[in-house]
Amino acid sequence: MSGSPKFTLRWGILATGGIAEAFAKDLLVDPTTRDTHDVAHKIVAVGSSSSADKSKEFIAKVGADSSVIACGSYDELVNLKEVDIIYIATPHSHHYENGLLALEAGKHVLCEKAFTVNARQAAHLAKVAQAKKLFLMEAVWTRFFPISKEIQRLIHEEKVLGEIHRVFADLSMVFKRDPNSRLYSPDLAGGALLDLGIYPFTWAFMTLHDHPDNQKTKPSVTASILKSQLTPVDETTSVTLTFPKIHATAHLTCSMTSKTTKPYCVTIQGEKGDLQVAPAPYRPEQFVLSLHDQEPKTFDFKIPGQGLFWEADECARQIRDGKLQSERFSLQDSITFMEVLDEVRQQGGLTYSEKTEGVRADA
Amino acid sequence: MSGSPKFTLRWGILATGGIAEAFAKDLLVDPTTRDTHDVAHKIVAVGSSSSADKSKEFIAKVGADSSVIACGSYDELVNLKEVDIIYIATPHSHHYENGLLALEAGKHVLCEKAFTVNARQAAHLAKVAQAKKLFLMEAVWTRFFPISKEIQRLIHEEKVLGEIHRVFADLSMVFKRDPNSRLYSPDLAGGALLDLGIYPFTWAFMTLHDHPDNQKTKPSVTASILKSQLTPVDETTSVTLTFPKIHATAHLTCSMTSKTTKPYCVTIQGEKGDLQVAPAPYRPEQFVLSLHDQEPKTFDFKIPGQGLFWEADECARQIRDGKLQSERFSLQDSITFMEVLDEVRQQGGLTYSEKTEGVRADA
């Protein structure tokens, strides 16, 4: 009987696909196993766009309590008074509309990445959340891992690499070349960039954009896109971001036709040596610090589950404290991030339909 | 007493710096140690632009015969009747003028890389060599290594990787930030690209430009240059080459502020797996073939010396056979290569002085 009562955040899960399943399972993991004692989570409802039965199946599959409410529509879900926060797990082509739906119903929101299809949509979501005094965050889970925080501490506070010169990051996975799949669909904002590229970009943002001396200055962008021969989405994309304030560059690649090579997927190079992260870049468990003329040192950070719970903990703490956004990845960070992705697509000649790219008249 | 008499090529070494020394030492290696039995080399003269004494010192230092002629000027060297071919080992800012000098004196030429400062200079050298019926080749030594030929055979003939999707190549070395050094001098065509970048580009050319299905089609270029804060040369450069005919991309980087990371400097990715080359990219001795779902296989190719003798052997064979260029890297290949580097510099806003970039009126 010590301390104040634990704050428990009550979640509504919007959509029932793979990422929703992984997130829900992580919400059910006892927070103390990750040394989290101040906040807790409760799944109170799940919503499917097609039927309540699908939600029921989902609840059973993830092993949630049978008291969890199964909704047959997103409307029903976002209007439940029992729900504090909506976790949006639809394809990114739908995040903007789903986000508006939840915010307009007065719910806090954690929205999967890519946050939206473009920066205009991101800015509108942020504007609505601020106006309604609701918490809103992009679900950049990788940022909230202890390993990511430790890497940022080492390079930004301890400055173990000295001046940082270059960052390389790649996320590539071989997908079946199927014109009917989500990833090849221009209407669902398919392509490598918004699905895979966001991770290499996240590393560039964590290391260079967030560098204290960069003062959150937006980088300049040089981008090259190789479109698929099946549909007009990007199959292989390559980007250089230049951060003039810190005289550093990021070299980012993603592809749907190759696999990220081993042993490293992220390399941060500074005047004193390199820090290299082992795959996968979205869920790193190991990095190696190789300072010039020293033996490389390996650091391991095992993840007690999938690792999506740390971003959930962040939401709980911010909402408990009455904050509307996370300092670790603010709404302005999300908007800047989307502006950079917009610039990449613009240079590569990649646009989606107006239906997918559009914003509401009041945006 | 079997076969025809061995063909011996008589060399004049123009310049006495580090690369000239390495090349001259390699010319003195017994060709049979690399299983070369049809051609041989003889250093007959060395030329310094400053004094014959410097040439004498060079001759002693590399361990050449004391009968080698020591010239106190390049003019003297290129006009010696005993010389068949001039090896040009000056900084690349001087290759064009040195090349014209040697060709106009009626000598074959092997010219160090970067071949020239720009494509106009390269095209003029090629034109003069063809008109005078003299052999001319850019000294892209890496192309003539047995390991490079084996990699090309594996990916282009055996097609061990299937369709090739992406190539990554980097060459980066930490140089002292010294505004008075050659590498930081815009007048000497300094910067990372022409000194280091040519190796990653060579790998892109060997793997993608030379791909049989590419039919020597010039790639499109997307380039980003981060200039030094000391002098207006490129310190970190990043380029994507796109080869639409084979739907493949090359991601090339070079820098004077970071080191190429281990364990691999070149990665060739195809539908069936990866082929990765261990550093250095200019003098590779090992590659690893990692096919999907198979144990990686390592291939070692020890080099019996520095490895510059293989390009010398190529010169000897072509000249013996009356050829004016090498099929392995033709003059058109060198021109295309320089056109691509020109495009990189143009996109990155990197030009040198007119004195350095210029061509003669008759070009």
Side-chain angles (χ1 to χ4, degrees):
Chain A
M1 286 302 290
S2 70
S4 45
K6 194 177 282 187
F7 177 83
T8 299
L9 190 61
R10 301 175 304 165
W11 291 85
I13 312 288
L14 190 150
T16 55
I19 184 68
E21 195 180 314
F23 185 80
K25 283 181 180 165
D26 266 10
L27 285 183
L28 297 172
V29 172
D30 177 0
T32 63
T33 60
R34 59 181 177 274
D35 212 21
T36 288
H37 301 276
D38 57 335
V39 293
H41 307 281
K42 186 172 167 59
I43 302 174
V44 294
V46 173
S48 155
S49 62
S50 52
S51 72
D53 279 348
K54 209 159 173 192
S55 296
K56 271 183 203 146
E57 275 169 38
F58 178 91
I59 291 161
K61 196 169 179 187
V62 302
D65 196 285
S66 59
S67 67
V68 172
I69 304 162
C71 304
S73 78
Y74 296 158
D75 255 318
E76 188 187 337
L77 176 76
V78 300
N79 285 300
L80 287 174
K81 64 177 189 319
E82 295 86 346
V83 168
D84 299 319
I85 184 167
I86 297 290
Y87 168 65
I88 296 175
T90 48
H92 44 254
S93 50
H94 293 59
H95 290 174
Y96 174 61
E97 283 301 333
N98 300 149
L100 288 176
L101 183 76
L103 292 168
E104 283 166 357
K107 295 296 187 277
H108 303 299
V109 169
L110 172 66
C111 180
E112 263 309 325
K113 3 143 269 302
F115 197 35
T116 48
V117 171
N118 55 39
R120 289 188 304 152
Q121 293 182 350
H124 189 207
L125 283 189
K127 186 177 130 186
V128 172
Q130 295 285 302
K132 292 188 169 283
K133 302 211 182 304
L134 293 166
F135 176 81
L136 171 63
M137 191 174 93
E138 183 179 351
V140 188
W141 62 319
T142 311
R143 282 193 162 258
F144 299 94
F145 289 7
I147 190 175
S148 303
K149 293 179 178 179
E150 175 61 6
I151 290 170
Q152 285 190 309
R153 191 190 69 77
L154 283 171
I155 63 173
H156 292 155
E157 294 174 33
E158 275 201 37
K159 298 189 184 297
V160 291
L161 301 179
E163 261 182 51
I164 298 180
H165 298 312
R166 297 196 297 185
V167 173
F168 289 88
D170 177 68
L171 178 55
S172 298
M173 298 170 87
V174 179
F175 292 98
K176 201 178 159 199
R177 277 177 164 156
D178 173 5
N180 300 315
S181 75
R182 175 180 71 80
L183 280 163
Y184 277 93
S185 163
D187 285 340
L188 296 177
L193 180 69
L194 293 195
D195 213 80
L196 306 172
I198 49 166
Y199 290 104
F201 278 80
T202 291
W203 282 97
F205 266 62
M206 287 199 296
T207 54
L208 300 179
H209 181 260
D210 291 3
H211 190 294
D213 298 340
N214 186 56
Q215 301 172 302
K216 301 267 184 186
T217 310
K218 189 161 71 168
S220 69
V221 175
T222 308
S224 171
I225 282 181
L226 182 67
K227 286 190 191 168
S228 162
Q229 291 158 316
L230 295 180
T231 63
V233 302
D234 70 306
E235 201 166 71
T236 296
T237 290
S238 167
V239 177
T240 300
L241 300 182
T242 303
F243 296 82
K245 259 199 162 56
I246 52 172
H247 201 67
T249 52
H251 309 275
L252 313 174
T253 44
C254 56
S255 174
M256 307 200 292
T257 63
S258 301
K259 278 187 203 176
T260 295
T261 53
K262 289 176 187 167
Y264 306 117
C265 56
V266 178
T267 296
I268 307 161
Q269 301 196 292
E271 61 178 328
K272 296 183 181 172
D274 295 346
L275 190 156
Q276 294 177 291
V277 182
Y282 45 82
R283 190 177 178 278
E285 292 191 292
Q286 187 181 83
F287 70 85
V288 177
L289 180 63
S290 307
L291 298 179
H292 297 327
D293 311 320
Q294 288 187 26
E295 281 299 304
K297 275 188 219 164
T298 301
F299 298 80
D300 289 292
F301 285 73
K302 288 289 168 214
I303 301 170
Q306 181 64 14
L308 294 153
F309 31 64
W310 284 306
E311 64 183 5
D313 291 348
E314 176 77 1
C315 295
R317 291 184 183 118
Q318 301 309 315
I319 291 168
R320 175 196 66 191
D321 298 345
K323 301 280 174 60
L324 303 187
Q325 53 186 316
S326 164
E327 269 185 28
R328 229 181 143 63
F329 199 57
S330 70
L331 291 171
Q332 183 53 56
D333 290 337
S334 276
I335 293 167
T336 304
F337 195 90
M338 286 311 307
E339 284 172 347
V340 168
L341 298 188
D342 283 358
E343 175 71 23
V344 171
R345 289 198 296 123
Q346 192 270 325
Q347 288 186 24
L350 176 62
T351 51
Y352 304 115
S353 64
E354 180 49 32
K355 185 172 166 288
T356 308
E357 298 258 13
V359 291
R360 290 202 198 157
D362 60 335
Chain B
M1 289 298 291
S2 69
S4 43
K6 195 178 279 185
F7 176 82
T8 298
L9 190 60
R10 299 174 308 165
W11 292 85
I13 311 288
L14 190 149
T16 56
I19 185 67
E21 196 181 314
F23 185 78
K25 283 181 179 163
D26 265 11
L27 285 184
L28 297 172
V29 172
D30 176 0
T32 62
T33 61
R34 61 182 177 272
D35 213 18
T36 288
H37 301 275
D38 56 335
V39 293
H41 306 282
K42 188 173 167 56
I43 302 174
V44 295
V46 172
S48 154
S49 61
S50 53
S51 73
D53 278 350
K54 208 159 173 192
S55 295
K56 270 182 204 144
E57 275 169 37
F58 179 91
I59 290 161
K61 196 169 180 188
V62 302
D65 195 286
S66 59
S67 68
V68 172
I69 305 162
C71 303
S73 79
Y74 296 160
D75 255 318
E76 190 188 335
L77 176 76
V78 301
N79 285 300
L80 286 173
K81 65 179 189 315
E82 295 87 345
V83 168
D84 298 320
I85 184 166
I86 297 290
Y87 168 65
I88 296 175
T90 48
H92 44 255
S93 49
H94 292 58
H95 290 174
Y96 174 59
E97 284 300 335
N98 299 150
L100 288 175
L101 184 77
L103 292 168
E104 282 167 357
K107 295 296 190 276
H108 303 299
V109 169
L110 173 67
C111 180
E112 262 310 325
K113 26 176 225 302
F115 195 36
T116 49
V117 171
N118 56 39
R120 289 187 306 151
Q121 293 181 350
H124 189 205
L125 283 187
K127 185 176 129 184
V128 172
Q130 296 284 302
K132 292 190 169 282
K133 304 213 180 306
L134 292 165
F135 176 81
L136 172 63
M137 192 175 92
E138 183 178 351
V140 189
W141 61 318
T142 310
R143 282 192 162 259
F144 299 95
F145 289 5
I147 190 175
S148 304
K149 293 179 178 180
E150 176 61 5
I151 290 170
Q152 286 190 309
R153 190 189 70 75
L154 283 171
I155 63 174
H156 293 154
E157 293 173 34
E158 271 201 40
K159 298 187 184 297
V160 290
L161 301 179
E163 258 182 57
I164 298 180
H165 299 313
R166 295 196 298 186
V167 173
F168 290 88
D170 177 68
L171 177 57
S172 297
M173 299 170 85
V174 179
F175 292 98
K176 201 178 159 200
R177 277 176 164 159
D178 174 5
N180 300 313
S181 75
R182 175 180 72 79
L183 280 165
Y184 277 93
S185 164
D187 285 341
L188 295 178
L193 180 69
L194 293 196
D195 213 80
L196 305 173
I198 49 167
Y199 289 104
F201 278 80
T202 291
W203 281 98
F205 266 62
M206 288 200 294
T207 53
L208 299 179
H209 181 260
D210 291 3
H211 190 295
D213 298 341
N214 185 54
Q215 300 172 306
K216 300 268 184 186
T217 309
K218 189 161 70 169
S220 68
V221 176
T222 307
S224 171
I225 282 181
L226 182 67
K227 286 190 190 168
S228 162
Q229 290 157 316
L230 296 179
T231 64
V233 303
D234 69 305
E235 202 167 69
T236 296
T237 291
S238 167
V239 178
T240 300
L241 301 182
T242 304
F243 296 82
K245 262 201 161 54
I246 53 172
H247 202 65
T249 53
H251 310 275
L252 312 174
T253 45
C254 55
S255 175
M256 307 200 292
T257 62
S258 302
K259 281 186 202 175
T260 294
T261 53
K262 288 176 187 169
Y264 305 117
C265 57
V266 177
T267 297
I268 308 160
Q269 302 196 291
E271 60 179 328
K272 295 183 181 170
D274 294 346
L275 190 155
Q276 293 176 293
V277 182
Y282 45 81
R283 191 177 176 278
E285 293 191 292
Q286 187 180 83
F287 69 86
V288 176
L289 180 64
S290 307
L291 298 180
H292 297 329
D293 310 321
Q294 287 187 25
E295 281 299 305
K297 274 188 220 163
T298 301
F299 297 79
D300 289 292
F301 285 74
K302 287 289 166 215
I303 300 170
Q306 181 64 16
L308 294 153
F309 32 63
W310 283 307
E311 64 184 3
D313 292 348
E314 176 78 359
C315 295
R317 290 185 184 119
Q318 300 309 315
I319 290 169
R320 175 197 65 191
D321 297 346
K323 302 277 173 64
L324 303 186
Q325 54 186 316
S326 164
E327 269 185 29
R328 231 182 141 62
F329 199 56
S330 70
L331 292 170
Q332 184 52 54
D333 290 338
S334 278
I335 294 167
T336 303
F337 194 90
M338 287 309 309
E339 284 172 348
V340 169
L341 298 189
D342 284 358
E343 176 72 22
V344 171
R345 290 199 296 124
Q346 193 271 326
Q347 289 186 22
L350 175 61
T351 51
Y352 305 114
S353 64
E354 180 50 29
K355 186 172 166 289
T356 308
E357 297 258 14
V359 291
R360 291 203 198 156
D362 61 333

